[in-house]
Amino acid sequence: MNMDMHKTKILIVEDESIVALDMKNTLTNFGYEVTNCVTNYNDAVNSVQTNKPELILMDINLGNGKDGINVAEEIQISQDIPIIYITAFADEKTINRAIKTNPVSYLIKPFKREELKSNI
């Protein structure tokens, strides 16, 4: 078996560390490389510059300050990285804001591991 096989690099932006760790373990088990788990706007933007992920799993609600949609808007100014939003909030206003950033998918918490895999 070829061990040089490319692993898709995924950044997790999630402010709940338990959720982020669970996602990281799940993705690693699926054979993906998690470049980073970050909890806020600045760390997310910096991690994209540093680690060049190929996909971002983006929680919309990141506590105080800028949310995941703001992160996506900032990243998309300079880079074209697919984004899957993960959120517990499915209100129309939030979804309409998210749609403007052209996400590849939208997962509502709580989601199943199989849903995550099929969306990636």
Side-chain angles (χ1 to χ4, degrees):
M1 192 172 155
N2 183 1
M3 296 317 261
D4 296 334
M5 217 173 89
H6 174 74
K7 289 185 173 184
T8 301
K9 291 163 56 172
I10 301 175
L11 168 64
I12 298 171
V13 183
E14 165 62 71
D15 67 336
E16 293 175 56
S17 53
I18 294 167
V19 177
L21 189 63
D22 184 49
M23 280 197 285
K24 180 179 182 175
N25 291 337
T26 300
L27 292 170
T28 305
N29 289 339
F30 286 153
Y32 299 110
E33 177 188 339
V34 175
T35 60
N36 214 339
C37 292
V38 296
T39 60
N40 61 57
Y41 176 91
N42 288 338
D43 289 350
V45 172
N46 291 336
S47 182
V48 166
Q49 302 296 337
T50 310
N51 300 304
K52 310 278 185 254
E54 296 160 88
L55 176 69
I56 302 173
L57 295 178
M58 184 85 71
D59 184 17
I60 289 181
N61 184 27
L62 299 175
N64 300 330
K66 296 181 175 178
D67 67 9
I69 300 171
N70 297 131
V71 176
E73 289 166 346
E74 178 62 32
I75 290 166
Q76 288 177 341
I77 291 170
S78 59
Q79 304 191 50
D80 186 21
I81 302 171
I83 292 171
I84 296 176
Y85 283 115
I86 296 168
T87 184
F89 303 96
D91 65 281
E92 197 172 346
K93 186 178 171 208
T94 301
I95 289 174
N96 287 339
R97 276 184 63 223
I99 286 170
K100 289 189 180 115
T101 62
N102 295 311
V104 285
S105 191
Y106 203 92
L107 287 172
I108 307 294
K109 291 178 185 175
F111 54 85
K112 297 181 178 68
R113 286 178 169 80
E114 295 75 35
E115 274 182 281
L116 183 61
K117 188 173 186 181
S118 65
N119 275 277
I120 294 171

